[in-house]
């Protein structure tokens, strides 16, 4: 294992310590616990719906990087690829609640679902109104018709963006929740992995993959994908991914979309742009208009090599929410 | 010993911890083959945290005590099984509220509450190849024992045997939850790690009681 | 070689095609050549000094990512790790010149120096006033006293930032040049590499390094560093790098600085924050104040794993220039 | 053939290309051991581009022709040697401006201009273990031949032999420029790849002329 770390056990904790040391004007801890990170101005905007997210470490900028203005208000942080506790989630909820209720917005993963469920129970005891939306954009993780079994991956960015902008507009909890759910319903993602990542405490790669192989649809913790084949030219890969995405929703001619070309960790930005080049050609040929694009690392798996493509179908309601300005130390949109 | 007081409860958790420690490598291997291999560690760390915390809790109300221990376990090991076992402890605790000693009827109610809690929290049912497939037979065994007025020792032996059978039977089932679900068909023929962990929990409980 | 690419020969070209497809509102080509990329509004601000940069591909966001408002005006793009041609540089200079002259601001590398030299000759024939500043922040690449033999690495960001802000303030060429040089003189960088990168056309790793080794001071093209040792905990590595940097300038108590913790490509952001955590501890203990920090990928070597630390000593003149807003599709500073 | 016209110039570049193609693997290996191994490719691609471009250029002024060919080479292979060789061609071209035929005196002037151009562009001097250590002796040989009124064939033989000796002598020198400089002391004992490339250029030139 070749990593720039100290004791593997301290990986997640020291990451948060570094982040808080770097961005004290934007982020702070609840009760000094590294498991609970909130906006430095959280809980100070009466009437604004608060958005809580959370999940395992190792995916930066997911999840913590989407805590900021026009985004989420707080995050509970687990160890690498492991859910944070219900208690941490509950502490975050208490700290960010502005009296208008809390939306739990997170990716569909077993452990997270259970803990957010327990946290909701704890919230209710203290009369905090809670709703939840599970991001589930990964087309590869369940067949069409089983959308509600799909995992959440890079498309999370869209959900944070739209829900965060809606909350900033002072919409009520039901509306923010509806918009988050609608954004999730309109988002599809497909990815490809070239190499495994290594969980620091484990010390060995999560899975084995040959030097000339790739796996389409692999999950961001190394969950098995759809097919493992010989590595192909990126144009061919983008064709495959895009085809799956477009037929699943389905997207149609004259649609306006936002796209993410997301690097999983080790893939150079150059390659992401080569992928975008092809994606744009395909969408243009189908008369689908790219209104906004995000090309970079938006949801990672430590040092995994690979990438994913996400497409969000926009309408008059979602478009201005995606366009809205936002700021976090990890994700800034000023135009 | 036909009732359980705070002192017995402490012995029970210590006995579970020791049972789990013996099973650690087996659980790691089981979970490793279809999941992420953390199960042996999370179970040991979780019950260790409970044992360490036990004396810090001054409540004599066993319900409150169990609630606090359940929360402790969850914040220590918020993995799937860690969360489900802490759910069991919390739900069991809610049935024990106000009591300072527990009899077999109480235990039967508490086990049933744990089963319900897991089904709700995990959105799962018996036959899904999960820890429920060991927990549910154990709750049933306790209920039957209570109905038949069996003594505590026999009741706990029944419960443990039920988990052994339940865990073994998961071999024939197909995983639909958690990481193992990604292997679906391939999971057939192997025992579910969570069910095996439940078996070792009941082995630990049973060991506290003698004839 | 595991890369998301098409024909390795087309790597640099297709990268640029993707970038232009993605950001037509910000960037455009000169005469349709992918070797020449300029701000879409280049050459339209009479009296503003134009800043030209350039170099080999494979370092994104270096160099192209620093073309934007408050940054550089144009870039000549070579193949992977290879200089662009003098002709490309000259075409860029012609296109971005606002009549106030052009500053060539680039890293000290043999091929680039010669080509920018030839480009200056060509510029002079067409009466374009040209100055040049060579970024040379890499402490590892030459002993103290030989600062003018050092290579340019991540510290480039500071030079673009300060010179770009100075040009935006409509300062004359001599002033912009002086500020760029001063910024370079006040910047020091040290890096560590854990793995090699692979040049697409070559197809095999540039250098070999054992699974438990690291190399301190390795260059961003795989140039030999200072020492190769067993991999150490990141806290120890940061101590070593920071020590070299601080004694070289030297930095002193009460200094105010800006820092970059830069990932070389494959290193996760989590690790960079663990490094920042230690860097902050060290600087605090020496009473050096971090005024601004950049933590992420600012100068990469394809998929190399590793990182570098850069420190810039600020004064009343440089501080507001580093703080100035800027925007490129790759580098946005709005606060 | 005591003067060089446009037609001869074309033959010269074609002959250099063929000489370079024969040496390709040797140059790749030489540059690979202390540099990035691109030298064989850049030299072949560069001279190929010149040969391909040659007929597209209508100028009869050999100076203008050489300037355009030099630019072509630079934009095709802007590597260190590509840029230095194109600098040589550009500088040589500046001395040939206005001429449609070149005699030995012209060639001597042009070679000297090329040497000066490289020293300025590369900020280097004879003895630095670079291509200059082959180019400079060649320029000298041409000057001596011109002074002694030698014929073109002998002059080019002298120049080629001078590059052979010069390239061989680089073995004793220590690299101070380019990638090889990172190996400094270790570079002693090996020939400089750029000097060897210059040798093959002059081998190509010499092959065009016969007694
Ligand atoms: N939805 C569920 N309902 C009940 N039990 C579940 C569920 N999902 C997983 N499990 C149980 O959890 C066990 C795995 O636990 P654990 O290793 O902690 O999971 P993970 O490492 O994926 O968080 C499984 O063997 C199964 O018994
Ligand atoms: N500053 C310099 N002046 C003269 N010649 C140089 C200089 N630097 C390098 N060279 C020559 O260039 C040769 C290497 O050329 P090339 O392989 O094109 O370099 P690179 O691949 O590093 O761009 C060296 O063998 C040397 O002869
Ligand atoms: Mg990365
Ligand atoms: Mg597990
Ligand atoms: Mg990267
Ligand atoms: Mg070379």
């Amino acid at each position: 294992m070749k990593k720039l770390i100290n004791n593997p056990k301290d990986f997640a904790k020291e990451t948060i310590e570094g982040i808080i040391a770097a961005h004290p004007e934007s982020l702070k801890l609840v009760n000094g616990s590294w498991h609970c990170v909130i906006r430095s101005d959280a809980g100070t905007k009466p009437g604004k719906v608060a958005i809580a997210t959370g999940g395992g470490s190792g995916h930066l900028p997911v999840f913590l990087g989407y805590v900021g203005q026009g985004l989420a208000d707080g995050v509970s942080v687990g160890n690498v690829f492991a859910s944070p506790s219900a208690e941490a989630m509950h502490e975050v909820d208490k700290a960010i609640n502005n009296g208008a209720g809390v939306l739990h917005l997170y990716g569909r993963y077993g452990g997270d679902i259970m803990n957010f469920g327990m946290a909701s129970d704890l919230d209710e005891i203290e009369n905090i109104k809670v709703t939840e939306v599970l991001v589930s954009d990964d087309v590869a993780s369940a067949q069409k018709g089983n959308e509600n079994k799909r995992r959440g991956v890079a498309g999370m960015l869209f959900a944070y963006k739209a829900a965060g902008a809606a909350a900033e507009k002072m919409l009520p909890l039901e509306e923010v929740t509806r918009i988050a759910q609608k954004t999730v319903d309109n988002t599809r993602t497909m990815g490809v992995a070239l190499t495994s990542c290594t969980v620091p405490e484990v010390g060995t790669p999560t899975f084995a993959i040959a030097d000339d192989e790739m796996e389409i649809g692999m999950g961001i913790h190394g969950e098995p994908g759809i097919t493992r084949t010989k590595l192909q030219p990126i144009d061919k890969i983008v064709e495959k991914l895009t085809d799956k995405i477009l037929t699943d929703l389905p997207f149609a001619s004259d649609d306006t979309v936002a796209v993410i070309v997301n690097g999983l960790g080790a893939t150079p930005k150059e390659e992401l742009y080569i992928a975008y080049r092809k994606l744009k050609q395909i969408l243009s040929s189908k008369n689908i208009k790219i209104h906004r694009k995000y090309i970079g690392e938006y949801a990672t798996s430590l040092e995994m090599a690979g990438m994913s493509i996400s497409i969000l179908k926009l309408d008059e309601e979602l478009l201005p929410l995606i366009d809205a300005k936002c700021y976090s130390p990890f994700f800034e949109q000023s135009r | 010993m036909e009732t359980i007081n705070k002192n017995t409860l402490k012995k029970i958790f210590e006995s579970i911890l020791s049972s789990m420690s013996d099973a650690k490598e087996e659980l790691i291997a089981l979970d490793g083959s279809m999941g992420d291999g953390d199960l042996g560690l999370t179970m040991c760390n979780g019950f260790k945290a409970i044992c360490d915390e036990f004396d810090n809790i001054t409540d004599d109300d066993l319900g409150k005590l169990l609630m606090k221990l359940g929360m402790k376990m969850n914040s220590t090991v918020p993995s799937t099984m860690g969360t489900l076992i802490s759910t069991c402890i919390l739900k069991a605790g809610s049935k024990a509220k106000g009591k300072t000693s527990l009899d077999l009827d109480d235990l039967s109610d508490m086990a049933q509450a744990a089963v319900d809690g897991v089904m709700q929290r995990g959105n799962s049912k018996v036959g899904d190849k999960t820890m429920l497939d060991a927990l549910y037979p154990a709750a049933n065994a306790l209920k039957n024992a209570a109905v038949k007025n069996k003594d505590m020792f026999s009741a706990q032996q029944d419960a443990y045997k039920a988990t052994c059978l339940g865990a073994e039977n998961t071999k024939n089932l197909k995983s639909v939850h958690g990481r193992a679900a990604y292997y679906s068909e391939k999971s057939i023929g192997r025992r579910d790690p969570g069910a095996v962990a439940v078996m070792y929990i009941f082995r630990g409980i049973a060991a506290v009681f003698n004839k």
Side-chain angles (χ1 to χ4, degrees), chain A, chain B:
Chain A
M1 173 175 58
K2 252 190 167 174
K3 290 180 185 285
L4 293 169
I5 58 173
N6 296 305
N7 191 328
K9 270 174 46 185
D10 299 326
F11 179 87
K13 174 172 153 283
E14 291 186 350
T15 298
I16 301 297
E17 287 173 1
I19 290 172
I20 296 294
H23 309 296
E25 63 300 332
S26 302
L27 299 167
K28 65 179 181 191
L29 303 178
V30 182
N31 300 331
S33 162
W34 68 265
H35 293 288
C36 307
V37 182
I38 61 174
R39 277 169 63 171
S40 51
D41 62 350
T44 63
K45 209 169 174 189
K48 190 186 98 67
V49 167
I51 300 174
T53 187
S57 290
H59 303 299
L60 281 179
V62 161
F63 300 84
L64 199 148
Y66 297 108
V67 173
Q69 286 166 28
L71 299 162
D73 297 86
V75 61
S76 46
V77 181
N79 259 310
V80 175
F81 296 179
S83 175
S85 72
E87 193 184 29
M89 293 167 177
H90 175 57
E91 291 301 322
V92 166
D93 290 346
K94 282 197 292 185
I96 65 176
N97 184 23
N98 291 305
V102 179
L103 166 62
H104 285 171
L105 181 56
Y106 61 100
R108 186 187 303 282
Y109 291 97
D112 299 314
I113 296 173
M114 292 179 193
N115 279 292
F116 269 111
M118 276 178 74
S120 301
D121 290 354
L122 297 171
D123 287 349
E124 263 167 42
I125 296 172
E126 305 198 22
N127 292 315
I128 302 175
K129 230 167 96 187
V130 196
T131 59
E132 77 168 4
V133 170
L134 277 69
V135 181
S136 45
D137 53 321
D138 187 359
V139 177
S141 54
Q143 298 281 330
K144 184 146 183 77
N146 282 326
E147 281 86 351
N148 64 354
K149 292 212 170 135
R150 289 177 175 172
R151 302 180 292 244
V153 284
M156 245 173 251
L157 158 64
F158 289 141
Y160 292 127
K161 190 71 203 59
E168 215 72 48
K169 281 174 67 184
M170 302 302 279
L171 296 183
L173 184 58
E174 296 66 34
E175 275 297 281
V176 174
T177 306
R178 181 186 62 76
I179 284 168
Q181 187 61 57
K182 177 175 168 183
T183 307
V184 169
D185 293 342
N186 279 316
T187 303
R188 293 294 183 279
T189 298
M190 276 284 289
V192 61
L194 300 194
T195 65
S196 176
C197 54
T198 296
V199 176
E201 281 197 77
V202 178
T204 51
T206 304
F207 58 90
I209 182 162
D211 268 354
D212 59 350
E213 282 180 343
M214 63 174 187
E215 183 153 331
I216 300 257
M218 169 158 292
I220 59 171
H221 311 95
E223 299 93 336
I226 296 180
T227 42
R228 186 177 283 208
T229 61
K230 294 271 173 238
L231 182 59
Q232 294 182 324
I234 183 64
D235 280 3
K236 283 268 167 301
I237 297 173
V238 172
E239 265 170 26
K240 267 189 200 161
L241 302 183
T242 311
D243 185 53
K244 279 271 185 194
I245 290 171
L246 295 182
T247 52
D248 191 88
L249 190 72
F251 291 84
S253 183
D254 286 325
D255 276 353
T256 296
V257 300
V259 303
I260 308 170
V261 177
N262 175 58
L264 294 182
T267 291
K269 231 173 191 176
E270 284 81 359
E271 299 179 21
L272 301 181
Y273 274 97
I274 297 179
Y276 179 80
R277 172 183 170 275
K278 183 65 186 179
L279 174 62
K280 168 116 195 256
Q281 287 170 8
I282 295 172
L283 295 187
S284 294
S285 78
K286 300 199 184 288
N287 207 25
I288 296 172
K289 181 166 173 276
I290 302 176
H291 172 72
R292 188 175 277 276
K293 72 237 45 161
Y294 300 93
I295 304 163
E297 293 184 353
Y298 295 98
T300 62
S301 299
L302 295 168
E303 69 284 81
M304 190 184 282
M307 63 130 213
S308 67
I309 292 174
S310 304
I311 309 186
L312 162 65
K313 181 168 170 164
L314 294 170
D315 62 12
E316 325 73 64
E317 184 177 40
L318 295 182
L319 190 142
L321 297 171
I322 296 295
D323 276 351
K325 294 183 183 182
C326 68
Y327 178 87
S328 94
F330 294 79
F331 181 59
E332 176 166 5
Q333 183 169 304
S334 69
R335 55 173 70 184
Chain B
M1 186 168 42
E2 292 312 301
T3 60
I4 292 175
N5 59 17
K6 190 171 175 182
N7 198 30
T8 328
L9 213 49
K10 187 175 174 192
K11 281 196 198 131
I12 288 178
F13 281 116
E14 283 166 353
S15 177
I16 295 176
L17 175 56
S18 124
S19 165
M20 214 47 96
S21 302
D22 294 343
K24 188 165 160 181
E25 296 307 323
E26 182 189 347
L27 290 175
I28 289 177
L30 261 177
D31 188 36
S33 72
M34 294 272 148
D36 57 358
D38 62 346
L39 192 58
L41 297 167
T42 52
M43 288 296 96
C44 287
N45 294 344
F47 284 107
K48 175 86 170 39
I50 284 182
C51 294
D52 289 349
E53 182 75 359
F54 203 97
D55 286 337
N56 299 333
I57 301 174
T58 51
D59 298 270
D60 287 320
D61 179 338
L62 298 185
K64 283 194 187 157
L65 174 67
L66 285 168
M67 303 280 264
K68 288 185 182 168
L69 294 175
M71 284 309 293
K72 183 70 197 176
M73 178 158 199
N74 170 252
S75 61
T76 310
V77 285
S79 64
T80 305
M81 269 295 278
T83 304
L84 288 172
I85 297 297
S86 61
T87 298
C88 291
I89 298 173
L90 286 168
K91 295 293 175 183
S94 70
K95 289 287 168 193
K97 230 178 222 163
K99 309 198 172 177
T100 52
S101 102
L102 307 166
D103 62 18
L104 194 49
D105 283 329
D106 294 327
L107 289 191
S108 167
D109 285 353
M110 288 161 69
Q112 189 55 49
V115 167
D116 293 343
V118 168
M119 291 175 75
Q120 184 220 333
R121 187 61 68 227
N123 194 21
S124 49
K125 53 186 199 313
V126 172
D128 284 354
K129 189 164 187 150
T130 69
M131 53 93 86
L132 257 186
D133 293 308
L135 184 63
Y136 178 79
N140 253 355
L142 289 176
K143 186 159 70 190
N144 286 337
V147 169
K148 293 186 191 151
N149 263 319
K150 286 201 180 181
D151 61 17
M152 188 63 90
F153 170 78
S154 316
Q156 296 297 354
Q157 289 295 328
D158 289 358
Y160 170 51
K161 279 179 202 142
T163 60
C164 294
L165 212 65
E168 187 63 24
N169 282 342
T170 58
K171 273 195 183 164
N172 310 315
L173 302 172
K174 202 173 77 180
S175 295
V176 294
H177 296 288
R179 296 181 210 264
Y182 303 130
Y183 300 90
S184 188
E185 299 292 338
K186 275 195 246 171
S187 69
I188 296 176
R190 305 185 191 227
R191 289 179 303 165
D192 174 66
V196 174
V198 167
M199 177 181 87
Y200 287 123
I201 290 174
F202 278 89
R203 181 177 73 177
I205 299 174
V208 170
F209 303 94
N210 12 31
K211 246 206 165 115

